[in-house]
Amino acid sequence: MPTVDQLVRADAVHRDIYRDPAVFELEMTRIFKRTWVYLAHESEVAEPGDYVTRTVGREPVVLVRGEDGVLRAVVNRCRHRAALVCEHETGNAKSFRCQYHGWTYRNDGRLIGVPHPERQSADVRERLGLAVVPRVESYRGLVFGSFNPAVSGLAEHLGPAALGYIDRFLDHCAGLPLTAHRQAHRITMPANWKLQLENGLDGYHAGFTHRSFFDVMRRRTGASVRFASGLPTATARAFRNGHTAIDPETTSRKPLIQRVSTLPGAAAKLDALRAHVGPQRFDEYAGAITGAGINVGIFPNLQLIGIHLRRIEPVSVDRTIVSVRPLLAVDAPPELNWLRLRYHELFYGPAGFGQPDDFEMFDRVAAGLADSEDGWLRFERGHGAETETEDGETIVGNVTDEIPQRGQYRQWRALLAGETA
Ligand code: FES
Ligand SMILES: [Fe+2]
């Protein structure tokens, strides 16, 4: 196993971090079992008994709201002989019964039923409840868990700069609260999880990887496209603890609305939306169709992009599940959510014009990791030209600078070296 310093430099990473199973093992324990990991949006587990199954690193957990209304994450592993006690992705249950020998646990983890208890020691129920993830906290509906009882509070871990960007993202919808769509696109990619980590905050690639999308939009709208990468005011940012953002900082939503209006059926829906909300508020609502216009990355496994929450779930060194879950506006004119979803689908999901192109690039990177003289992948764009905000919370530069990636790998390095949590 190479040392951390052989794997990562300030402006580059070694290819082994994407392909060495020993590095992956270390990431699962030193990153995913030590820091805060995003689990779900609170609206997915709104009612007592609502649950979703997740993994933290490779440990299966159930995030479940108890009958007392408290959100807990219990380890999805029977204390008898280790079978999963909950095999569904989502549902509502007062209790979970292990199908192997029938042990039953209440949804707060307590063991409440052991078949033929006369053959068990008297204290089996007290001793063998489901293990509970020691820390669960949420910020504005985003629920995180940590196996590290000593990890700092979630808000402190996120820090003021990342919190500001999360707020901006969650406030993008004309002042309406947001709820998570019941369905998500779940895409299994045959690539290392960090390719998605880097790519979601990559302000450099869009004009190339997504060229065909912009060409189609140009043909449909008749308007040429200015990439964020061409805007001198657009920024890339790194915050504390590996959290990041890219911010086009463009005030005009016009080009995006033009794209929306080319969708089949959209013209009538836009008219209906205008009738619903009135001409004064129409621009604000129309602006909310395409999302906040910023990409926010919360290390290691959450990205807020467009109108969706993206969860990155490492499975093995070369296998990752990426889940893309749209957010819908609560109590909104129905056309608004229809338009949000149709625009989202235009780019994201397996049939979108954009996201599959990123997966294609991950395949090409994986193919290019083969042994050669040069084992390094470079994030040196804009290195040395960054500035720091006065409060010391943010490193900032041009949107195409690889500031987010350098920030992510600073945190990756510190966690792997055991210097932080
Ligand atoms: S493994 Fe769960 S009851 Fe035996
Ligand atoms: Fe992309």
Side-chain angles (χ1 to χ4, degrees):
M1 170 77 198
T3 65
V4 172
D5 289 326
Q6 288 168 325
L7 295 172
V8 56
R9 305 193 301 227
D11 60 358
V13 293
H14 192 268
R15 62 172 168 235
D16 282 352
I17 72 161
Y18 303 98
R19 60 175 200 170
D20 183 345
V23 174
F24 184 80
E25 290 301 321
L26 216 54
E27 291 175 335
M28 292 305 102
T29 51
R30 295 202 181 163
I31 298 176
F32 282 83
K33 295 298 282 292
R34 283 244 292 270
T35 191
W36 286 105
V37 171
Y38 173 70
L39 298 175
H41 189 268
E42 266 183 32
S43 58
E44 295 174 71
V45 281
E47 301 297 327
D50 283 356
Y51 68 81
V52 291
T53 50
R54 293 287 187 260
T55 54
V56 175
R58 277 185 303 187
E59 191 138 8
V61 303
V62 188
L63 178 70
V64 52
R65 192 175 292 279
E67 302 311 303
D68 54 2
V70 175
L71 215 43
R72 297 180 184 83
V74 294
V75 175
N76 190 3
R77 174 188 187 279
C78 183
R79 296 295 304 282
H80 178 223
R81 297 233 299 270
L84 296 178
V85 298
C86 177
E87 70 277 19
H88 302 294
E89 268 177 45
T90 177
N92 183 285
K94 283 192 163 53
S95 61
F96 302 109
R97 168 173 285 174
C98 177
Q99 299 299 314
Y100 200 171
H101 311 90
W103 287 26
T104 303
Y105 301 87
R106 250 173 68 156
N107 63 14
D108 60 7
R110 267 186 286 168
L111 178 59
I112 52 171
V114 176
H116 313 304
E118 64 281 0
R119 308 293 302 163
Q120 296 280 359
S121 65
D123 64 347
V124 62
R125 290 192 186 186
E126 287 81 76
R127 279 191 297 119
L128 295 179
L130 296 175
V132 175
V133 179
R135 299 284 297 276
V136 172
E137 287 183 24
S138 57
Y139 178 74
R140 292 195 58 186
L142 305 174
V143 185
F144 294 75
S146 178
F147 272 97
N148 178 0
V151 74
S152 58
L154 178 65
E156 157 72 18
H157 167 78
L158 295 171
L163 287 174
Y165 268 85
I166 292 174
D167 286 345
R168 221 171 113 187
F169 185 90
L170 296 176
D171 291 339
H172 76 256
C173 201
L176 297 169
L178 298 170
T179 187
H181 198 296
R182 292 199 71 77
Q183 306 290 335
H185 281 126
R186 280 177 94 237
I187 302 155
T188 302
M189 61 176 209
N192 186 269
W193 66 280
K194 295 186 294 300
L195 290 175
Q196 180 65 88
L197 173 82
E198 300 157 11
N199 169 271
L201 277 298
D202 185 325
Y204 190 24
H205 78 296
F208 304 96
T209 302
H210 303 302
R211 176 101 227 164
S212 59
F213 171 77
F214 292 112
D215 285 347
V216 169
M217 288 303 109
R218 188 167 41 229
R219 279 204 297 278
R220 281 193 188 176
T221 63
S224 75
V225 178
R226 261 191 105 187
F227 302 114
S229 46
L231 299 174
T233 54
T235 58
R237 289 161 186 264
F239 312 125
R240 68 170 74 163
N241 296 330
H243 311 314
T244 51
I246 50 177
D247 187 350
E249 291 186 1
T250 165
T251 47
S252 170
R253 313 291 287 162
K254 251 213 177 109
L256 299 181
I257 302 305
Q258 281 176 342
R259 288 183 208 165
V260 172
S261 62
T262 68
L263 294 168
K269 296 284 183 186
L270 284 165
D271 287 346
L273 181 63
R274 188 191 298 272
H276 240 114
V277 302
Q280 279 86 28
R281 297 203 69 192
F282 176 71
D283 279 353
E284 187 187 357
Y285 276 83
I289 293 168
T290 55
I294 49 176
N295 293 18
V296 186
I298 303 303
F299 188 90
N301 73 326
L302 171 65
Q303 294 174 346
L304 304 90
I305 300 176
I307 66 159
H308 73 260
L309 301 175
R310 183 178 301 190
R311 196 166 50 83
I312 303 171
E313 193 179 331
V315 178
S316 63
V317 71
D318 57 3
R319 203 171 175 79
T320 306
I321 298 170
V322 176
S323 137
V324 170
R325 187 178 299 277
L327 294 170
L328 301 178
V330 179
D331 295 330
E335 306 81 30
L336 179 64
N337 284 331
W338 188 93
L339 287 159
R340 279 167 70 86
L341 283 173
R342 297 299 86 78
Y343 185 71
H344 165 81
E345 293 156 358
L346 179 64
F347 199 86
Y348 300 104
F353 272 116
Q355 200 176 15
D357 294 334
D358 291 317
F359 291 123
E360 168 65 20
M361 289 306 138
F362 302 160
D363 281 351
R364 294 187 188 187
V365 173
L369 293 177
D371 286 315
S372 66
E373 287 288 297
D374 179 12
W376 293 91
L377 292 83
R378 295 183 174 75
F379 300 110
E380 60 193 36
R381 194 173 165 82
H383 190 38
E386 310 94 333
T387 56
E388 199 173 292
T389 53
E390 247 170 52
D391 58 8
E393 288 285 340
T394 306
I395 296 169
V396 60
N398 180 264
V399 68
T400 64
D401 289 355
E402 285 155 331
I403 287 175
Q405 291 72 27
R406 290 195 290 275
Q408 290 167 336
Y409 281 108
R410 269 196 301 282
Q411 180 72 356
W412 184 90
R413 187 201 176 288
L415 282 163
L416 240 59
E419 292 164 3
T420 186

